[in-house]
Amino acid sequence: VPGARFYDWIYRIGAPWDTGPRGELVALIQDGTLDPKTHPKALDIGCGAGANTIHMAKAGFQTTGVDFSTKALKIAKRRAEAEGVDVTFVQADLTTPAPLAKDSHFDVLVDYGTLDDLKPEGRRRLAQHVKTWSRPGALLLFWCFYGRYEDLPRISLIGPSKLGPGLEPEEPQALFGDAFEIRRLDTPGHRGRWACFLMTRR
Ligand SMILES: C[S@@+](CC[C@H](N)C(=O)[O-])C[C@H]1O[C@@H](n2cnc3c(N)ncnc32)[C@H](O)[C@@H]1O
């Protein structure tokens, strides 16, 4: 469970995952599944250097990005300015009791690789926040490291490992199943060790 200072350091040297807006997000906006006309308010959970946040803003969503890394947010703000898009960035620890203003609500919530970084208690807390931040019909695009702990390698630079495990196969359902209909997307995966879900708030 890396802390904010570890992330500051990674973003300073260049985060390996910071490669532009992610494929599933781009595709779902392109095919109209995620549509700012019906789902105007978007939240990027653990937005990092802002590639997905800025992509959503450019597509017409009123977008908020939240992250606890000062360096990541600095890069994200600079990029948003350079692109001329209006994005709200919030610095907060997502595992705290109230990372966002009370009564915050979003229609599209995106998490690429943030909840899966957290310890079980942090995961439960963030999942709970996601439920309070979403109303019926809201969509959650959730991408995570994935796999059974016993099957993971000891160390991996691009996927989950015993050192940095992802979600257990039953965990998305356990965390979100009481409030969301869950559909697993057919994404190109790293030996099945990445997974992406599109969830609809009941
Ligand atoms: C693997 S990165 C992914 C970043 C971004 N979603 C992307 O796809 O480029 C995980 C991000 O979550 C942020 N993060 C991790 N734990 C957090 C926490 N407890 N509160 C807020 N942000 C957190 C990190 O700073 C980092 O930017």
Side-chain angles (χ1 to χ4, degrees), residues 137-141 172-173 176-184 197-202:
L139 296 165
L140 168 65
L141 180 62
Q173 181 65 32
F176 294 107
D178 61 334
F180 286 88
E181 288 298 333
I182 303 176
R183 176 160 72 90
R184 183 162 178 191
F197 301 88
L198 183 63
M199 309 194 191
T200 308
R201 183 80 160 93
R202 279 193 220 97

Side-chain angles (χ1 to χ4, degrees), residues 16-202:
W17 54 81
D18 183 29
T19 55
R22 305 295 191 94
E24 303 84 3
L25 176 67
V26 172
L28 290 168
I29 291 175
Q30 206 161 25
D31 74 11
T33 305
L34 304 179
D35 183 347
K37 289 198 281 301
T38 55
H39 290 70
K41 289 188 68 188
L43 177 68
D44 191 2
I45 297 166
C47 62
N52 286 337
T53 335
I54 292 167
H55 183 76
M56 289 193 283
K58 278 178 157 174
F61 294 93
Q62 295 162 42
T63 311
T64 299
V66 57
D67 205 287
F68 66 1
S69 161
T70 307
K71 181 64 185 170
L73 290 175
K74 210 166 167 178
I75 299 170
K77 283 178 191 161
R78 204 171 53 218
R79 284 183 181 164
E81 259 172 45
E83 300 257 9
V85 288
D86 197 14
V87 180
T88 303
F89 287 108
V90 177
Q91 184 166 25
D93 183 336
L94 290 156
T95 63
T96 54
L100 296 179
K102 243 176 108 200
D103 295 335
S104 296
H105 284 106
F106 302 92
D107 308 302
V108 173
L109 301 98
V110 172
D111 177 343
Y112 265 85
T114 300
L115 182 141
D116 65 0
D117 267 359
L118 306 175
K119 285 193 208 148
E121 181 48 35
R123 291 179 182 184
R124 278 195 292 276
R125 194 164 256 185
L126 178 50
Q128 209 45 48
H129 290 323
V130 166
K131 290 169 205 171
T132 65
W133 294 333
S134 54
R135 295 200 177 105
L139 296 165
L140 168 65
L141 180 62
F142 177 71
W143 185 100
C144 61
F145 280 180
Y146 186 77
R148 212 161 274 300
Y149 184 82
E150 307 85 82
D151 302 337
L152 300 179
R154 286 217 325 194
I155 298 181
S156 168
L157 293 178
I158 59 162
S161 64
K162 292 213 163 62
L163 206 62
L167 269 70
E168 291 284 328
E170 59 280 357
E171 219 176 322
Q173 181 65 32
L175 288 168
F176 294 107
D178 61 334
F180 286 88
E181 288 298 333
I182 303 176
R183 176 160 72 90
R184 183 162 178 191
L185 300 179
D186 184 21
T187 44
H190 166 64
R191 301 178 179 188
R193 290 185 187 141
W194 301 336
C196 189
F197 301 88
L198 183 63
M199 309 194 191
T200 308
R201 183 80 160 93
R202 279 193 220 97

